């Protein structure tokens, strides 16, 4: 597969985040993080737990304000949440009082676009993630993995240009997680959305991404930018190739695991 | 009807029957005079003879309870919304609200009678005063307990404050609101009867007092039976409303 240079989607420059703490010195969560996001790329932010990679994502989602530095999307500086972004959180974060389809439709409802077409799309997405027939049940009647799939549909319902995912599969068992990885790649192929994916799993990051940004321990800095030159579509066999292992090794060295 | 539902009716019925039998046996065995405690047979004949009167008086008390409870729900929720929406209001009035709760409601009742007269209004007011506090506390707790991750979701979608309130805070507080309402509805019955005791010419509370003054103990007990049925019906109605309005809570426990 030959790659043409992709048009730019956005850029973070010199982003720094300091949390003020009561009765303690300020906590530097992120120290000078800059990277480019190309249109349609899937970029993983890989780092140890608590390193501040989630904070980077939250800044992009408009849930946390950067102390300094800028975030530019399509050439314009952004602050605050964007309606054309979709966010998938660590927990499914479904509303227990809404049926699955009503949860998926929530972003459309908020934007006043909950029409027949939106319903059709919600049904399509649920079918795509294997939740056909579960439209009318309450979230508590589903397993954790199924809830996370529904949450993924909700993040996609308004056809976001940027999908922000914060360790969405972290709480799932290994097998479900690998299934969800393939599902994400399918979705990404179909929607062509740009994806930023936070994870602490090396193999997940390498398997999914065009680019893996390896973060250092707190305060977060980018220790390594790793291009994953394995062509899509990727399948389970890729995980056992020598090249894949070498990429994993490079990432783990950057993480400071191999010494 | 499932076996579980049948046992829910059969077991309490057996329990009541056993207590009534024990009561009758005790009174016969120890020759307890009717003025001290009437036997179940006399209470039942009072129920049979005076059911029309009992129903009429029940209706009065029922209306007082329903209005008092409805006011407690509406005002209680409004106060809870105000104290949770504004930190200033909360700091200003919440401690005073809690302080007023240490005053025994019976002590306020004569004042309420002075303000509202001996008609139904004073009973509604007392039922309201007794019942509204748990509504405030539980609703405020529910509104404050909105899961942080749902608020994050709402912010990421740029929900307006109004949308956050109606689409997230209120539904997530609903189970709390209902647990407050279940306490409030039983308190409303107590409040209405306090009001009738302090001054009235109708209602089950009034009937208890007047029958007692005429040493008609079986009628006193019959009125108590009606009061207890009234309380249970109001509670059951609240539970039914809870099941209808918060169906997800039930489905979670299945």
């Amino acid at each position: 597969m030959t790659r043409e240079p992709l048009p730019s989607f956005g850029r973070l420059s010199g982003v720094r985040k300091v949390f003020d703490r009561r009765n303690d010195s300020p906590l530097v969560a992120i120290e000078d993080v800059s990277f480019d996001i190309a249109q349609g790329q899937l970029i993983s932010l890989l780092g140890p737990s608590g390193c501040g990679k989630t904070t980077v994502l939250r800044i992009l989602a408009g849930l946390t304000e950067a102390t300094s530095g800028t975030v530019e999307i399509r050439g314009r500086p952004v602050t605050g949440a964007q309606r054309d972004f979709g966010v998938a959180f660590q927990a499914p974060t479904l509303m227990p009082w809404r049926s699955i389809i009503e949860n998926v439709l929530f972003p459309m409802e908020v934007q006043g676009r909950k029409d027949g077409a939106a319903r059709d799309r919600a049904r399509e997405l649920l079918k795509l993630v294997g939740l056909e027939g579960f439209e009318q049940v309450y979230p508590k009647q589903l397993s954790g993995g199924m809830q996370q799939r529904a949450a993924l549909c909700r993040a996609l319902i308004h056809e976001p240009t940027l999908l922000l995912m914060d360790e969405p599969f972290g709480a799932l068992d290994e097998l479900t997680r690998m299934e969800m990885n393939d599902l994400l790649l399918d979705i990404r192929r179909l929607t062509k959305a740009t994806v930023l994916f936070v994870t602490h799993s090396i193999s997940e990051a390498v398997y999914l991404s065009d680019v893996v940004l390896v973060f250092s321990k707190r305060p977060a800095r980018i220790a390594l930018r790793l291009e994953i030159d394995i062509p899509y579509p990727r399948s389970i066999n890729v995980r056992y190739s020598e090249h894949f292992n070498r990429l994993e090794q490079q990432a783990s060295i950057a993480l400071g695991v191999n010494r | 009807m499932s076996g579980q539902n049948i046992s829910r009716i059969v077991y309490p019925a057996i329990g009541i029957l056993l207590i009534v039998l024990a009561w009758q046996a005790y009174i016969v065995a120890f020759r307890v005079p009717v003025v001290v405690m009437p036997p179940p047979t006399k209470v039942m004949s009072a129920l049979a003879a005076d059911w029309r009167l009992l129903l009429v008086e029940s209706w009065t008390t029922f209306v007082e309870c329903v209005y008092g409870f409805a006011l407690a729900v509406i005002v209680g929720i409004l106060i809870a919304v105000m104290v949770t929406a504004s930190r200033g209001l909360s700091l200003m009035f919440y401690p005073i609200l809690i302080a007023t709760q240490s005053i025994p409601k019976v002590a306020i009742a004569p004042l309420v009678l002075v303000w509202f007269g001996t008609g139904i209004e004073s009973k509604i007011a007392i039922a309201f005063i007794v019942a509204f506090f748990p509504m405030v506390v539980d609703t405020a707790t529910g509104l404050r307990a909105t899961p942080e991750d749902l608020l994050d979701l709402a912010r990421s979608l740029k929900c307006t404050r109004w949308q956050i309130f109606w689409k997230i805070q209120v539904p997530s507080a609903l189970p709390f609101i209902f647990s407050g309402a279940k306490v409030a509805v039983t308190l409303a019955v107590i409040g209405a009867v306090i009001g009738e005791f302090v001054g009235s010419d109708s209602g089950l509370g009034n009937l208890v007092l007047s029958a007692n003054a005429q040493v008609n103990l079986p009628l006193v007990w019959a009125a108590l039976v009606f009061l207890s049925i009234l309380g249970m019906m109001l509670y059951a109605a609240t539970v039914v409303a809870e099941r209808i309005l918060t169906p997800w809570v039930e489905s979670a426990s299945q």
Side-chain angles (χ1 to χ4, degrees), chain A:
Chain A
M1 192 169 110
T2 53
R3 289 196 192 177
E4 302 156 28
L6 296 160
S8 170
F9 180 84
R11 174 171 176 72
L12 274 77
S13 3
V15 171
R16 189 178 139 85
K17 176 69 191 177
V18 183
F19 288 105
D20 289 322
R21 289 184 297 186
R22 210 184 297 174
N23 308 325
D24 210 340
S25 58
L27 175 85
V28 184
I30 309 170
E31 185 76 85
D32 189 25
V33 164
S34 307
F35 61 90
D36 286 299
I37 307 164
Q39 189 83 48
Q41 254 183 341
L42 198 160
I43 301 177
S44 281
L45 312 185
L46 172 67
S49 298
C51 78
K53 57 195 189 298
T54 291
T55 309
V56 175
L57 198 84
R58 288 179 65 89
I59 288 170
L60 268 160
L63 296 173
T64 303
E65 218 176 312
T67 308
S68 58
T70 55
V71 178
E72 267 180 48
I73 300 293
R74 292 187 213 92
R76 282 216 218 115
V78 298
T79 48
Q82 303 295 311
R83 285 223 148 149
D84 62 337
F85 288 3
V87 185
F89 298 91
Q90 279 175 30
T93 325
L94 299 171
M95 297 174 205
W97 55 86
R98 282 174 175 248
S99 65
I100 290 299
I101 192 157
E102 289 301 317
N103 264 290
V104 171
L105 284 166
F106 184 67
M108 301 304 271
E109 185 178 316
V110 166
Q111 300 179 6
R113 293 156 60 201
K114 195 167 103 174
D115 50 15
R119 276 180 188 283
D120 289 344
R121 183 169 157 77
R123 275 195 209 93
E124 254 170 59
L125 282 168
L126 286 168
K127 192 176 171 185
L128 178 69
V129 302
L131 285 178
E132 202 179 11
F134 292 97
E135 289 88 351
Q136 302 306 331
V137 307
Y138 288 113
K140 285 213 173 129
Q141 293 165 279
L142 298 186
S143 70
M146 291 162 98
Q147 289 186 26
Q148 200 53 273
R149 284 167 207 229
L152 193 53
C153 294
R154 182 185 57 201
L156 292 164
I157 186 74
H158 53 302
E159 303 187 300
T161 52
L162 179 65
L163 183 57
L164 300 165
M165 307 183 82
D166 183 11
E167 293 185 40
F169 314 138
L172 306 179
D173 62 84
E174 181 88 17
L175 189 70
T176 312
R177 186 177 190 149
M178 293 205 305
E179 278 173 15
M180 295 296 282
N181 285 168
D182 287 328
L183 179 63
L184 175 59
L185 289 182
D186 283 347
I187 284 169
R188 186 254 188 145
R189 186 165 43 83
L190 294 171
T191 61
K192 300 186 171 59
T194 308
V195 184
L196 240 67
F197 189 90
V198 166
T199 180
H200 57 242
S201 159
I202 298 171
S203 72
E204 185 174 59
V206 173
Y207 184 67
L208 291 175
S209 318
D210 292 292
V211 174
V212 177
L213 301 174
V214 184
F215 282 73
S216 64
K217 290 206 180 75
R218 203 174 53 224
R221 278 195 193 85
I222 296 176
L224 176 71
R225 180 191 160 91
L226 191 62
E227 301 264 351
I228 309 298
D229 51 358
I230 302 170
Y232 294 97
R234 295 174 189 170
S235 68
I236 191 91
N237 293 328
V238 167
R239 291 183 190 264
Y240 306 109
S241 71
E242 214 171 291
H243 186 51
F244 190 89
N245 290 335
R246 210 160 27 245
L247 289 165
E248 281 187 320
Q249 193 186 15
Q250 279 178 287
S252 61
I253 290 167
L255 280 170
V257 180
N258 299 25
R259 261 183 291 210

